[in-house]
Amino acid sequence: MGSVGAKEVPVLLSPEGIRVDGRRLDELRPLRVVAGPLHRADGSAFVEWGANKVMAAVYGPREVHPRHLQQNNKAIVQCKYNMAAFSVDERKRPGLDRRSQEISKVIAEAFESVIFAEEYPRTSIDVYIEVLQANAGTRCAGLVAASVALADAGIPMADLVPAVAVGKVAGEIVLDLNKAEDNFGEADLPMALVPQSGRLVLLQMEGHMTREELSRALDMGVKGCHVIYDKMKAALRDRYSAARPTEVAA
Ligand code: CDP
């Protein structure tokens, strides 16, 4: 442990290139995706990703509230990302703060680029993301959960949207930052990919890195997104193959 003022700074990388939680530089945290755990929503998904726990629920296409947001030629996509008061170390003040508003907006925009909104004019597709436990990367976990929830709700989309943060920690480019790496690392760069087209639909960066590092970070993130994509598809397959025995019996 080193120290900066009163704050203890953990050693983020061992001489062998092993991270604080035992991962290699390009290794994801353990990820579990469950499709359809909630029965009152049109679609839902639960994501446990490292120490993050995130639930997403989708309603729609349904009537637009508030009404003046209605668009005659397409559905609107509304997203509400919320962190539970008990999701972080220091109790988070409940309600919409600027960070939650920003995350809700960028997630809605990411989905607007894949949802076939023209098929449902004058309606709203509502995405709710509840972060129950946070440990960095919650906007990406939220995107992954919401994406599976949208598919579970049967919303027509060009593709799922896997997401992951890449960054720079102790001088190295790393995949999927945890909280210590997010707090004490040099850069944090969440991104979301549409795998079939190769398009990025969310890209944000805090901190600093060179253009060459940025290029490596993007490559690492794209690879990570493909691994996450496979888990998302597997979760949906599990959900719908679970219904099959009844069909066979009938
Ligand atoms: O979660 P994400 O990395 O997408 O967003 P961030 O703004 O970079 O936040 C990083 C982490 O800081 C969160 O995942 C939480 O663990 C933590 N955080 C917190 O402890 N209290 C807040 N009010 C906001 C974030």
Side-chain angles (χ1 to χ4, degrees), residues 29 52 81 83 87-93 97 99-100 102-103 131 133-142 165 177-179 182-183 188 190 204 206:
R29 290 176 286 183
N52 289 316
Y81 162 104
M83 262 185 151
S87 66
V88 289
D89 290 337
E90 282 168 34
R91 178 181 177 276
K92 174 179 173 301
R93 276 186 64 188
D97 51 18
R99 175 178 171 277
S100 305
E102 176 228 308
I103 295 178
V131 178
Q133 190 169 284
N135 195 258
T138 61
R139 77 196 62 204
C140 296
L177 280 72
N178 63 30
K179 182 76 162 53
D182 182 296
N183 281 2
D188 172 29
Q204 300 182 292
E206 274 175 57

Side-chain angles (χ1 to χ4, degrees), residues 162-177:
V164 71
V166 280
K168 186 174 169 185
V169 169
E172 297 288 344
I173 298 303
V174 300
L175 182 66
D176 188 18
L177 280 72

Side-chain angles (χ1 to χ4, degrees), residues 117-234:
E118 301 74 24
E119 293 188 14
Y120 301 99
R122 294 177 295 282
T123 66
S124 177
I125 294 163
D126 300 329
V127 177
Y128 297 90
I129 296 169
E130 294 291 329
V131 178
L132 306 176
Q133 190 169 284
N135 195 258
T138 61
R139 77 196 62 204
C140 296
L143 261 156
V144 168
S147 205
V148 173
L150 282 161
D152 183 45
I155 305 290
M157 294 184 290
D159 205 353
L160 297 168
V161 185
V164 71
V166 280
K168 186 174 169 185
V169 169
E172 297 288 344
I173 298 303
V174 300
L175 182 66
D176 188 18
L177 280 72
N178 63 30
K179 182 76 162 53
E181 294 172 333
D182 182 296
N183 281 2
F184 302 109
E186 291 103 272
D188 172 29
L189 195 153
M191 58 188 275
L193 177 77
V194 180
Q196 286 181 37
S197 66
R199 273 184 309 138
L200 294 176
V201 288
L202 178 140
L203 187 61
Q204 300 182 292
M205 184 167 118
E206 274 175 57
H208 52 89
M209 58 173 75
T210 65
R211 283 169 63 174
E212 184 274 327
E213 286 167 339
L214 174 63
S215 163
R216 277 196 288 129
L218 289 174
D219 286 346
M220 190 183 264
V222 167
K223 274 197 194 133
C225 280
H226 279 281
V227 175
I228 296 159
Y229 185 47
D230 287 343
K231 297 214 174 200
M232 295 162 80
K233 288 189 290 187

